[in-house]
Amino acid sequence: MANKESVGAFAIVPTNDLVATISFWERLGFERVGGDKDYIILTGWDCEVHVTQAGEGPWAVPVDHNPFGVFIRTPQVDAIAALVDDLIIRPGGILRHRDWGLYEFAVAAPDGLLVRIGWPSSLVEAKS
């Protein structure tokens, strides 16, 4: 997981518990590469995610109905699934080929953030 410059759009995800969120992303194979005490930049699997400490009151993340989600697009789906098998949302989020053409699984991050990890099924099948 070498740190390299990349072009793209990267999610900035608010969290009510920055410490727990950093631990979650590290468990997924990401590492902290920048930021400050309230804004953390993590990279892994040739992807980047930014997490920020949410505010209070109306700025807090609504845990029961968190509207935020992140999709990690990587061919390393199986490797990541092995790291977090106990966190995979079951039964619906299990690792499988989906009708919409992705080989993917889903986990719930702190604050109820939906994190889906996948790769196009056609590319997975092409490797077999």
Side-chain angles (χ1 to χ4, degrees):
M1 285 182 267
N3 189 12
K4 63 182 181 182
E5 296 300 320
S6 59
V7 175
F10 307 106
I12 301 172
V13 182
T15 180
N16 294 324
D17 186 341
L18 197 55
V19 172
T21 298
I22 293 167
S23 293
F24 168 81
W25 286 101
E26 289 174 341
R27 176 120 184 252
L28 280 173
F30 284 71
E31 66 179 297
R32 185 177 179 170
V33 296
D36 62 27
K37 71 179 188 68
D38 291 324
Y39 189 98
I40 310 301
I41 302 168
L42 300 118
T43 61
W45 310 105
D46 293 325
C47 299
E48 185 171 315
V49 66
H50 298 211
V51 294
T52 187
Q53 179 64 54
E56 300 201 13
W59 297 106
V61 175
V63 178
D64 292 337
H65 302 288
N66 189 335
F68 302 107
V70 173
F71 186 87
I72 300 170
R73 182 181 166 102
T74 177
Q76 303 301 320
V77 178
D78 291 318
I80 300 172
L83 293 174
V84 294
D85 181 67
D86 62 310
L87 299 179
I88 294 175
I89 298 168
R90 290 179 166 83
I94 61 170
L95 180 59
R96 68 176 186 261
H97 291 277
R98 308 294 175 152
D99 292 341
W100 48 88
L102 291 170
Y103 178 62
E104 69 175 29
F105 69 96
V107 294
D111 298 324
L113 174 74
L114 175 65
V115 178
R116 291 176 29 211
I117 296 104
W119 192 245
S121 291
S122 61
L123 298 177
V124 172
E125 294 166 351
K127 289 182 358 181
S128 301

